[in-house]
Amino acid sequence: MTKIIIHGGFFSESSTNLETKIAKQNALLHIVKDSYQYLQSHSALEAVVYAVSLLEDDALFNAGIGSQIQSDGKIRMSAALMDGVSMKMSGVINIEEVKNPIQVASILMKEDDRIIGGEGATNYARKHGFDVFSTEIPQRRAEYEAKLEAIGTGTVGCVAIDAEGRIAVATSTGGKGFEIPGRISDSATVAGNYANEFCGVSLTGVGEDIVSGAIAAKIVTRVTDGMTLEQAFDKTFQELKPFDGFAGAIAIDNKGNMFHQDSHPSMVYASFDGENEEVFQ
């Protein structure tokens, strides 16, 4: 019953830039299939790290390479990982000059202090062999210098269930762009990244809205309490409407059901179960 679903944030250019839209679709489909093959011989926890690392390595997405630049001209990234079996979550917040923040989060799984931020996160990465690496690309620098503030909804994520029914989730973000230094996104919190033995959920969108809605934790809790994935999504997204919350989510439950929903189209995603593929159109 191995299945995997990934997201690449929201795609505001979908109606105006066909070339970029097609490139993102192709990238997502390639990554989800590659990660599915990896999942065949690895655990769900290992597979979500693998998938999110591939997303971080692709400059089409706002995580790792291609991350947004903050208001002081620096790039700070966040990422988190959660194992639905052990119920352990690890993460880095506002880490700098690391190619793959999700891999640092993965190493933190063995620590007692599993979520660290800022300079401490960067120093931890250096001590564990992560060399200084600039994730800046010319497009982001041009946007920053021209003060072209983007919509701020870029994040990548993955949820997987392996052959033994274990669920894991990983999420990574390059931030919303031009934010106040020190701003905390949802990605390394239980609002944006959560899993247990019943369900795993990864979020993208406006971090402040996602945290306000406690979305990932709510969906997982509701599935744990007996709701279907669709029911849990519907109730949780209904609760975003009073403040027009901007969010998108992907999920897999322990029955192998996959689901995705967004409050403001269009979240880019792809899923694969070995036979059937689905990709954002």
Side-chain angles (χ1 to χ4, degrees), residues 66-128:
S67 291
Q68 294 278 2
I69 301 174
Q70 297 190 352
S71 60
D72 63 351
K74 294 183 178 181
I75 292 173
R76 298 178 180 89
M77 302 162 287
S78 297
L81 173 67
M82 189 159 184
D83 179 10
V85 178
S86 68
M87 293 293 292
K88 286 184 177 180
M89 182 173 176
S90 60
V92 292
I93 297 172
N94 288 331
I95 196 169
E96 297 182 40
E97 295 187 309
V98 169
K99 184 182 180 184
N100 294 108
I102 193 62
Q103 293 179 16
V104 184
S106 179
I107 293 175
L108 277 164
M109 269 286 182
K110 65 181 175 59
E111 304 284 4
D112 292 331
D113 304 326
R114 291 192 297 274
I115 299 179
I116 57 177
E119 184 179 351
T122 303
N123 290 340
Y124 181 88
R126 299 287 176 261
K127 290 177 182 178
H128 287 80

Side-chain angles (χ1 to χ4, degrees), residues 213-228:
I215 298 176
K218 275 186 178 177
I219 291 173
V220 172
T221 299
R222 284 166 171 161
V223 172
T224 302
D225 289 344
M227 284 189 175
T228 65

